[in-house]
Amino acid sequence: CGGFTRLLFMWKGSLYKLIYRELLLFLAAFAILSALYRHAFTEEQKRLFEKVVIYCDTFINLIPLSFVLGFYVAYVAGRWWSQYMAIPWPDKLMHCIALYVSGNDEHGRMLRRTMMRYLNLSLILVLRSISSAVKRRFPTLEHLVEAGFMNTIELEMYKAVPSVEFNTYWIPCTWFINLLKETKKGK
């Protein structure tokens, strides 16, 4: 007994945790109106209250609730899907790099590897600000160095850019573009 309730309070993304304030406010307002209607209103006030309820009920049927709810759900689902599709998965870029940055020697391999490292680094920097799991995995920039996504020289260059007024997720992308330009010059 109580296992489901305990699970609801342990679950961080629970719907009940999102709406419990509104639910408590609604229940309190309902209880107050119910107590007033049953115990404090006179017969004339009860009839006036019933007329207000009937008046509100006639207008609630003009726009069906299922239509409004369906529209809202479609809108929320559409926004979620567009945000999901906006996540820059590195797979497509990896295939382009493998196609256009040629060379079977060690230099070509290291160029491709460094470019992908920069892309993955920029993705991790973005995801650190929105994902608690990624933030736990990489709580500091030094953890990115330990994991091999950045070396110590790049860390110093990254920290040298002031990040008070704006985010610095773009810095590895700049490194990527500069490396791509150098690669194109060297053919």
Side-chain angles (χ1 to χ4, degrees):
C1 182
F4 180 69
T5 308
R6 199 169 351 132
L7 178 65
L8 287 178
F9 287 111
M10 287 173 48
W11 188 21
K12 291 182 182 179
S14 172
L15 177 64
Y16 298 107
K17 284 187 176 182
L18 291 174
I19 64 169
Y20 80 91
R21 292 178 197 94
E22 291 84 0
L23 177 64
L24 291 176
L25 182 65
F26 171 78
L27 291 175
F30 182 82
I32 290 169
L33 280 175
S34 179
L36 286 173
Y37 180 80
R38 295 178 198 283
H39 302 293
F41 286 174
T42 64
E43 287 300 319
E44 184 180 330
Q45 290 172 331
K46 286 181 180 181
R47 299 302 156 244
L48 179 63
F49 181 77
E50 289 168 3
K51 286 181 183 178
V52 169
V53 169
I54 291 170
Y55 176 77
C56 291
D57 189 47
T58 57
F59 285 107
I60 201 164
N61 292 328
L62 293 178
I63 299 176
L65 184 62
S66 59
F67 172 75
V68 174
L69 187 60
F71 178 75
Y72 176 72
V73 168
Y75 178 73
V76 169
R79 282 190 50 124
W80 176 85
W81 185 250
S82 67
Q83 288 177 354
Y84 176 77
M85 293 304 290
I87 296 173
W89 301 110
D91 300 356
K92 290 181 183 179
L93 231 50
M94 178 191 64
H95 289 118
C96 288
I97 290 171
L99 179 67
Y100 293 114
V101 180
S102 60
N104 293 331
D105 58 343
E106 186 67 20
H107 180 68
R109 188 179 72 79
M110 288 308 292
L111 278 174
R112 288 189 295 271
R113 182 176 173 199
T114 304
M115 287 180 183
M116 281 310 300
R117 187 170 56 82
Y118 289 159
L119 289 175
N120 286 329
L121 175 61
S122 64
L123 183 61
I124 289 171
L125 290 172
V126 170
L127 292 178
R128 278 182 71 224
S129 65
I130 59 175
S131 171
S132 59
V134 177
K135 184 68 173 177
R136 276 193 308 271
R137 172 66 178 91
F138 303 108
T140 65
L141 294 175
E142 285 74 20
H143 286 89
L144 291 170
V145 174
E146 290 174 14
F149 289 104
M150 188 186 295
N151 61 36
T152 54
I153 297 168
E154 293 165 347
L155 178 63
E156 291 173 13
M157 289 176 13
Y158 184 83
K159 286 182 175 181
V161 177
S163 61
V164 176
E165 295 180 25
F166 50 88
N167 292 323
T168 53
Y169 309 132
W170 53 270
I171 295 173
C173 296
T174 305
W175 297 340
F176 174 87
I177 295 296
N178 287 335
L179 188 59
L180 194 62
K181 283 180 184 178
E182 289 175 16
T183 304
K184 185 178 178 186
K185 285 179 186 176
K187 301 203 189 273

